[in-house]
Amino acid sequence: MRPGLRPTAPHQRRRTAYLRSRAGGCAEWRPLRISGHEYIQVKFAKMDCLSCPVRTQCTNSAVRPRTLALLPTRELHEIQMRNRLDQQTGEWQRR
């Protein structure tokens, strides 16, 4: 388990964890499957998100809280970032 994450007993069967932010808000972390690929979904509590002073820097939604889909490992994240940078090159776009 990642440092700072605190599992909650009722949700452990679903492999859900909660992370308390520095601002005092709370985010729920749980497994997510998109098009057959494993991710980690991070969903912030609606009331915490709506009252956040930097909300406009984080999301455009007027009513929904911020939700993220993260790759499960640093290695996969780094591969994705390299691929996205490659896709911006003229050589890649000419393929």
Side-chain angles (χ1 to χ4, degrees):
M1 178 159 312
R2 294 178 182 204
L5 288 181
R6 173 180 54 82
T8 56
H11 301 287
Q12 283 180 341
R13 288 182 299 281
R14 291 187 339 197
R15 294 182 355 198
T16 299
Y18 291 88
L19 175 65
R20 186 154 297 285
S21 72
R22 289 182 206 157
C26 191
E28 176 184 354
W29 295 58
R30 67 173 145 195
L32 175 67
R33 192 168 193 84
I34 302 173
S35 300
H37 300 281
E38 298 292 326
Y39 290 87
I40 299 168
Q41 181 185 45
V42 181
K43 185 174 182 180
F44 293 85
K46 187 173 184 176
M47 294 313 296
D48 292 336
C49 192
L50 290 175
S51 65
C52 180
V54 292
R55 177 178 170 75
T56 57
Q57 297 173 24
C58 191
T59 184
N60 293 328
S61 175
V63 295
R64 292 192 175 102
R66 174 69 184 218
T67 302
L68 305 170
L70 307 175
L71 290 165
T73 66
R74 177 180 288 247
E75 292 79 17
L76 289 174
H77 173 74
E78 289 172 355
I79 290 168
Q80 183 182 60
M81 295 305 297
R82 277 194 305 272
N83 289 342
R84 288 180 176 172
L85 287 173
D86 287 345
Q87 290 171 1
Q88 295 175 17
T89 66
E91 179 184 342
W92 190 93
Q93 293 175 6
R94 286 188 292 274
R95 292 184 198 176

